[in-house]
Amino acid sequence: MPTYLVAGGAGFIGSNLIGKLLEEKGAKVICLDNFLTGEKKNLVEFEANPNFEFFEHDIVKPIKIDQKLDYIINLACPASPPDYRSHPIETLEVCSIGVKNLLDLALRNSARFVHASTSEVYGDPLEHPQTESYWGHVNSYGERSCYDEGKRFAESLIYIYKKDLGLNSGLIRIFNTYGPKMRPFDGRVVTNFIRQALANEDITMYGDGKQSRSFCYVDDQIEAQIKMLHSDFEGPVNIGNPNEFTMLELAEGVIKLTDSKSKIVHKPLPADDPTQRQPDISLAKENLAWEPKVQLEEGLKKTIEWLRKLGY
Ligand code: NAD
Ligand code: UDP
């Protein structure tokens, strides 16, 4: 039976992924996380499961696991813009030293290694929608560069481990993903808007709200990640939902679904905030036989329900 290692498993996507991996009969899941942006409560439901093991560990420090690993997936890295801006050095380190430590672990185990890269490698894209062959339009010296350039460095490292050292690797570029287990105060748009709408508080719209994003529900996201783990596809491959919305459309949708009295107020647009983002998912369809099933309204309803249950 396979043993999976999930780095960053106490985070939003990682904890959803662990739940799904543990459904595979006999599969063992080891999680490494240092709780930089993840939460202990995301793991509570797995604690009694004998097939689950957790090590509180910073992957920037050397990693020693005395068990044979079959699959390693790396999700460790702050992902919300306010998070990586508050932890810029940690972000650069986890994307470089942390990734290298995991790559060495994967080589030692002859394990399949899947890494979570991001649509941010395309920066503020001049090509729309974004295909994997687009090289991006990224500011290397700015507010988002600790994340964007960290992720680009990691891609380059993985390329070398694959081409020169023969690692069995897969690279996914994740586009905005949302759903239950996001940290309610992570500062991302979906959690901010839903919390604000549920409390009938002002909705904080950064800039004019005409910037777009394409939102993928977390269940679709982890289905693609599991397919990537079980394939030998190298990627890079975009994983996201191509349905694109402006932030104004998102706010209006959230207000409607929560029956809220909130008003939209405009705040300054953060520096280097991408104006548009939409994945071309042809490669994922072809190579992983994957496409998202949950559309925004249904996913938002589930996320609203979850935040309501938490008391928001
Ligand atoms: P998250 O912040 O909820 O999870 C990241 C996890 O990594 C946290 O549990 C954190 O504590 C852990 N971590 C950070 N540094 C670590 C370190 N040095 N050692 C061990 N653990 C560490 O973020 P998320 O939304 O779940 O994102 C997961 C991954 O997916 C990230 O790599 C992110 O860049 C990528 N991604 C996410 C999105 C998205 O929309 N959610 C989009 C693109 C890419
Ligand atoms: N945003 C917003 N109000 C908020 C939080 C975010 O208008 O309270 C905007 C942000 O400026 C960006 C978009 O929503 O244009 C998505 O932001 P998020 O931080 O969720 O992710 P990003 O795609 O920028 O990494």
Side-chain angles (χ1 to χ4, degrees):
M1 281 299 125
T3 299
Y4 296 89
L5 182 133
V6 181
F12 155 54
I13 296 179
S15 55
N16 277 287
L17 177 68
I18 289 171
K20 199 73 194 166
L21 290 174
L22 285 170
E23 285 176 14
E24 185 182 335
K25 204 167 173 292
K28 206 171 161 205
V29 179
I30 300 171
C31 171
L32 299 184
D33 204 294
N34 65 349
F35 298 118
L36 181 66
T37 56
E39 297 187 293
K40 285 193 175 135
K41 63 177 177 222
N42 283 341
L43 302 176
V44 168
E45 65 187 283
F46 313 128
E47 276 169 1
N49 190 325
N51 290 331
F52 177 70
E53 212 173 342
F54 174 70
F55 297 100
E56 186 166 343
H57 184 76
D58 179 345
I59 64 158
V60 170
K61 301 199 175 114
I63 306 169
K64 235 184 125 253
I65 305 272
D66 296 326
Q67 298 178 52
K68 169 79 180 77
L69 304 172
D70 301 294
Y71 301 96
I72 297 178
I73 179 159
N74 180 27
L75 298 158
C77 181
S80 154
D83 279 348
Y84 57 71
R85 196 58 192 90
S86 337
H87 301 289
I89 304 289
E90 290 90 340
T91 300
L92 286 161
E93 284 182 344
V94 76
C95 287
S96 51
I97 307 165
V99 173
K100 183 169 186 307
N101 283 338
L102 286 178
L103 286 167
D104 288 330
L105 183 69
L107 272 187
R108 288 200 298 278
N109 281 272
S110 305
R112 163 90 171 151
F113 178 82
V114 170
H115 175 78
S117 189
T118 169
S119 53
E120 286 284 323
V121 300
Y122 304 125
D124 189 3
L126 304 176
E127 187 179 283
H128 195 73
Q130 293 82 54
T131 60
E132 291 83 350
S133 56
Y134 178 53
W135 287 358
H137 178 232
V138 179
N139 181 0
S140 62
Y141 188 75
E143 287 297 308
R144 294 172 88 100
S145 65
C146 61
Y147 185 71
D148 298 12
E149 293 295 354
K151 289 286 185 180
R152 287 168 70 98
F153 179 92
E155 289 203 1
S156 164
L157 201 55
I158 292 159
Y159 182 87
I160 298 301
Y161 270 70
K162 167 101 195 161
K163 302 296 173 190
D164 295 5
L165 304 177
L167 180 76
N168 175 3
S169 66
L171 187 62
I172 54 172
R173 292 184 180 150
I174 302 176
F175 282 63
N176 295 64
T177 298
Y178 70 100
K181 290 193 163 184
M182 291 179 93
R183 231 171 61 247
F185 283 89
D186 69 0
R188 289 187 260 201
V189 71
V190 171
T191 37
N192 274 7
F193 284 6
I194 296 178
R195 268 194 311 94
Q196 291 160 348
L198 288 174
N200 293 310
E201 287 170 1
D202 289 345
I203 302 268
T204 52
M205 182 67 62
Y206 302 161
D208 61 12
K210 290 187 184 142
Q211 70 272 33
S212 71
R213 295 292 187 273
S214 305
F215 295 99
C216 181
Y217 189 65
V218 67
D219 288 359
D220 286 332
Q221 178 61 238
I222 61 176
E223 187 196 25
Q225 295 185 3
I226 291 171
K227 286 191 165 202
M228 190 64 171
L229 278 165
H230 293 161
S231 85
D232 56 9
F233 183 44
E234 171 181 359
V237 58
N238 291 336
I239 304 294
N241 187 322
N243 284 343
E244 186 184 5
F245 298 87
T246 65
M247 294 311 99
L248 277 173
E249 287 170 331
L250 177 70
E252 282 154 10
V254 168
I255 289 172
K256 190 167 147 252
L257 292 174
T258 51
D259 202 15
S260 173
K261 296 184 180 58
S262 293
K263 300 268 169 295
I264 294 172
V265 296
H266 292 268
K267 303 271 179 192
L269 187 70
D272 298 338
D273 198 283
T275 48
Q276 54 182 1
R277 201 184 269 162
Q278 184 190 32
D280 178 316
I281 59 164
S282 313
L283 279 187
K285 283 184 185 165
E286 250 167 64
N287 292 279
L288 301 174
W290 173 85
E291 61 184 309
K293 300 182 195 82
V294 181
Q295 296 312 334
L296 189 62
E297 182 168 328
E298 185 189 345
L300 283 178
K301 281 184 185 161
K302 291 181 182 188
T303 313
I304 291 166
E305 192 48 38
W306 169 75
L307 276 162
R308 270 207 176 108
K309 276 199 190 127
L310 289 182
Y312 291 96

